Amino acid sequence: MATTQARAVETDRVGAVGRRVVGGFYLSMGGVHLGIVAADPNTYAGFADAGLFGFVRQGWSQVFMADPALWGACLFVGETVLGIALLAGGRAARLGWYGVITFHVLLMLFGFWVWLWSLPAIAVLVVLARRDRRNLAPADPGALIAR
């Protein structure tokens, strides 16, 4: 019985630490986008050149690159919000997990070279999100009475 309880605590801890690490990473990456926007937004120019579909390549060049400072700032805000959501915990973190996993799935549209990062990242994110699920579950009022 003690082993089961110890394992449950370990699982909770791994999920919580993973959430904090991923949240901090997303805050950092938001900062990277802010730096790119401040230094030279045209750095984004070739990112979609290997996009898997024409609409990705054309959309990037015609929409994103029409105003790379604006769209880079949107990336800054989006990644920062996801990082804050994960760090906040609770329902916000649940949405944060969905957001970071979706972000990586969509990132795969930019070419097979991105898959080298995205596939392992998605695998790790899904595992961490599942382990963190217990930490984010709504409190069971009955459990408080039983203690």
Side-chain angles (χ1 to χ4, degrees), residues 114-133:
V114 183
W115 291 36
L116 295 173
W117 161 262
S118 291
L119 287 177
I122 291 167
V124 169
L125 291 171
V126 167
V127 168
L128 290 174
R130 289 187 61 148
R131 291 190 77 153
D132 194 36
R133 194 171 39 185

Side-chain angles (χ1 to χ4, degrees), residues 83-109:
I84 291 170
L86 287 169
L87 293 173
R91 185 174 292 181
R94 225 178 251 274
L95 294 173
W97 281 121
Y98 289 127
V100 298
I101 293 167
T102 301
F103 180 86
H104 278 83
V105 169
L106 293 174
L107 197 57
M108 293 172 66
L109 292 172

Side-chain angles (χ1 to χ4, degrees), residues 1 5-6 24 30 35 39 50 52 61 66-68 70 77 105 115 117 121-122 130 144:
M1 181 93 166
Q5 289 175 343
L52 298 180
S61 66
D67 193 352
L70 169 70
V77 169
V105 169
W115 291 36
W117 161 262
I122 291 167
R130 289 187 61 148
L144 295 176

